[in-house]
Amino acid sequence: MDTDHLALSEREREIVLLAAEGLADKEIAKRLGITAGTVRTYWERLRPKLGASNRAQAAAMLLKQLYQDSERQRQTESERSKLIIDNVRDFAIFSIDLERRISSWNPGVERFFGYSEPEWLRLHADEIFTPEDRESGVPEREMEISRKTGRADDNTWLVRKDGTRFFANGIMVALRSEDGVIHGFAKILKDMTERLTRDQKIAALEAELSNLREN
């Protein structure tokens, strides 16, 4: 899907951006003066329009568009887009050059990874991957897929500054100039560790209940 020209209404954009700030449907409804049911109806329409399967992906796709706008037109009206990105803390959003060196930072990076901006900008992007993923060539494959198709989706464990790991849902998108030349990539991530842990616990309980019924 060409997210450079997402045909979203102003209300749809408001809902996605409020979700990116971490607000639940009831909080979004209260902020916008509409019902929670109306918000859910908007989500049902938004997911196929954005090519996303969940709220996190929907927010990431819109943030991707805002990021590309900011990169292409940094000195014009896109400054508003840059301000949005700089204030989003529920997503880590950063750019990577063609050598996979990190070249930008937002507050979500510090929240998830624990790096200040100066520390982060000295890193090579491969350093946030687990040793086993680096060994198997995951960073290279992700960039190659993004280069060929414009986008690479991933669900994987990543490494914080202190060495601990978290499970992230994210996308990498190619940043192209008007003539189609790739100048770098944008990476947009959301920490999904809590959700993964919850799903694993539910699966374990369901398996235990199933065993009890069989016995």
Side-chain angles (χ1 to χ4, degrees), residues 33-100:
I34 58 180
T35 67
T38 300
V39 174
R40 287 191 290 271
T41 298
Y42 271 109
W43 278 120
E44 291 302 315
R45 297 172 183 169
L46 274 165
R47 281 195 289 269
K49 186 181 290 189
L50 289 165
S53 61
N54 55 50
R55 285 164 52 106
Q57 287 185 1
M61 293 304 291
L62 180 56
L63 289 169
K64 170 204 165 182
Q65 181 193 27
L66 295 176
Y67 187 94
Q68 290 179 318
D69 288 347
S70 177
E71 287 295 302
R72 283 197 297 259
Q73 304 174 19
R74 192 175 290 272
Q75 301 304 319
T76 59
E77 71 277 0
S78 65
E79 285 301 316
R80 180 174 177 274
S81 298
K82 185 175 185 299
L83 286 172
I84 292 171
I85 291 168
D86 288 346
N87 285 280
V88 170
R89 297 179 181 275
D90 278 0
F91 288 82
I93 307 170
F94 55 96
S95 55
I96 302 168
D97 67 18
L98 298 177
E99 302 300 321
R100 296 203 301 281

Side-chain angles (χ1 to χ4, degrees), residues 179-190:
D179 57 3
V181 176
I182 296 177
H183 292 276
F185 300 84
K187 184 94 169 172
I188 304 169
L189 300 168
K190 184 173 179 62

Side-chain angles (χ1 to χ4, degrees), residues 22 68 116 144 156:
Q68 290 179 318
S116 66
E144 186 60 24
T156 189

Side-chain angles (χ1 to χ4, degrees), residues 175-212:
L175 301 175
R176 298 179 185 272
S177 60
E178 294 298 328
D179 57 3
V181 176
I182 296 177
H183 292 276
F185 300 84
K187 184 94 169 172
I188 304 169
L189 300 168
K190 184 173 179 62
D191 186 350
M192 302 295 283
T193 311
E194 184 177 338
R195 178 174 174 177
L196 175 66
T197 302
R198 184 179 67 245
D199 289 347
Q200 289 175 336
K201 287 181 179 178
I202 291 172
L205 286 171
E206 288 176 343
E208 185 174 344
L209 288 172
S210 178
N211 288 334
L212 288 172

Side-chain angles (χ1 to χ4, degrees), residues 22-23 110 162 178:
L23 274 64
E110 187 163 21
D162 63 7
E178 294 298 328

Side-chain angles (χ1 to χ4, degrees), residues 150-168:
R151 163 181 170 176
D153 300 282
D154 65 84
N155 293 278
T156 189
W157 290 94
L158 297 175
V159 181
R160 297 187 178 94
K161 176 184 175 181
D162 63 7
T164 59
R165 300 182 180 193
F166 69 98
F167 190 76

Side-chain angles (χ1 to χ4, degrees), residues 130-144:
T130 64
E132 52 268 35
D133 278 353
R134 293 201 301 270
E135 179 77 18
S136 62
V138 170
E140 294 89 343
R141 286 199 300 275
E142 182 181 59
M143 183 169 282
E144 186 60 24

